[in-house]
Amino acid sequence: MTASAGDVDGGREDDVQARRHHGRYQVRRVARMLIASLKPRTMGGTTNTGLLAYALARAGHPVTCYDADESLQLAAWARDAGDFPCEVHVADTPAFAEVVYPEMDHDRINLVDAGHAENHPDIVDSILEVVDLVILTLSPTQPDYDRLTKPERGTALAKVIKRSAALRESGQPPVTYVLLNRCQAGAASPKKYADLLRNGGEDGTDPKWSVLSTQIPRREGIASAVGFPCDKPERRAPYDALVTELTQRGHLPGVRR
């Protein structure tokens, strides 16, 4: 989201060498990242986590994944696909910040796949306490937009992210971007919903979000990826573009080859 009142900043937190305290643990942050894949009740979040991990590994980044969704689809994918790019740790606990985070290797890029925020608010709150970057998967449809901005049940994700500031060392909510997913080639909907997200809805009263220029296309080869080998040509280019954009925005470190 943008850095206006009531919204979440889309810039990078300068806490690379900060120390975080969680009970008896003290963890020194270095120039890697903890990235959370969040979603309202929509499709494609776990797919994006796994294929982003695959793209990061191909780009030369050391990667580890954490499955914080009680369905454990990411962990099952890593088990069943012979070419999954990294280890996946089961981490579906509301004590994520106190138990999982201190044991991470912070010289790596760590990706955490969270379940639907409405169903797992305690787990999501704990992840938001320590995460560096949030990527929020959203399809460019009215139902998904409504689930994000005005859900029928549960707390809107903008409010969930904003309130996490009180638990964070920086006193600010985590850097957050929306990643548009399942985008139909040539359709008007991706631009329509990107504009609505950036502008705070039609009347400007909704939270304003930062939206990545990278969009994940609607392709069968991507939609059916979970549980199957990652190494398919159609599963590469969109996520390579995502890694490039995150690097250019300053959220990923450079890789020495």
Side-chain angles (χ1 to χ4, degrees):
M1 301 181 198
T2 58
S4 56
D7 297 331
V8 177
D9 191 348
R12 184 175 183 180
E13 294 179 63
D14 186 18
D15 66 349
V16 170
Q17 294 298 330
R19 289 184 181 271
R20 299 183 186 272
H21 296 268
H22 301 284
R24 65 185 179 86
Y25 294 99
Q26 187 179 50
V27 179
R28 187 166 182 81
R29 291 279 291 110
V30 293
R32 298 292 180 178
M33 296 288 288
L34 170 57
I35 302 173
S37 173
L38 298 186
K39 52 188 176 289
R41 194 181 298 275
T42 189
M43 299 176 65
T46 299
T47 303
N48 287 342
T49 304
L51 294 182
L52 174 57
Y54 181 50
L56 287 165
R58 288 200 316 280
H61 293 286
V63 186
T64 302
C65 285
Y66 294 82
D67 194 342
D69 186 338
E70 290 180 351
S71 69
L72 298 181
Q73 281 191 315
L74 189 68
W77 187 2
R79 181 194 66 219
D80 296 339
D83 65 345
F84 200 83
C86 64
E87 187 175 4
V88 177
H89 299 276
V90 173
D92 57 327
T93 171
F96 186 94
E98 295 79 15
V99 175
V100 179
Y101 180 79
E103 299 301 324
M104 288 182 176
D105 181 348
H106 294 278
D107 286 329
R108 306 177 70 81
I109 294 177
N110 296 293
L111 299 180
V112 54
D113 187 53
H116 295 141
E118 305 98 317
N119 296 345
H120 312 285
D122 50 353
I123 297 175
V124 170
D125 283 343
S126 191
I127 292 168
L128 290 174
E129 183 178 343
V130 291
V131 73
D132 298 299
L133 178 68
V134 174
I135 298 177
L136 181 60
T137 293
L138 191 77
S139 296
T141 65
Q142 192 64 46
D144 268 22
Y145 182 78
D146 289 344
R147 290 184 190 105
L148 176 65
T149 58
K150 298 180 179 69
E152 292 292 330
R153 294 183 181 274
T155 304
L157 263 175
K159 186 174 182 179
V160 173
I161 294 169
K162 182 182 177 183
R163 75 187 182 195
S164 71
L167 300 173
R168 295 171 58 83
E169 183 178 284
S170 67
Q172 299 294 321
V175 180
T176 301
Y177 290 100
V178 174
L179 174 64
L180 290 177
N181 189 54
R182 298 170 65 85
C183 296
Q184 185 68 43
S189 56
K191 182 180 187 304
K192 172 186 174 180
Y193 285 98
D195 289 344
L196 286 172
L197 290 161
R198 292 188 180 107
N199 297 329
E202 293 181 353
D203 58 5
T205 60
D206 291 335
K208 297 177 181 179
W209 299 80
S210 294
V211 182
L212 293 164
S213 59
T214 301
Q215 297 177 352
I216 306 303
R218 187 182 184 91
R219 294 179 187 165
E220 181 61 28
I222 294 174
S224 62
V226 173
F228 294 94
C230 299
D231 190 17
K232 300 289 183 181
E234 63 271 27
R235 296 173 185 163
R236 297 180 186 176
Y239 298 93
D240 291 342
L242 179 56
V243 170
T244 297
E245 181 174 357
L246 293 175
T247 303
Q248 291 172 343
R249 287 178 179 267
H251 299 300
L252 292 175
V255 175
R256 294 180 181 178
R257 294 189 178 276

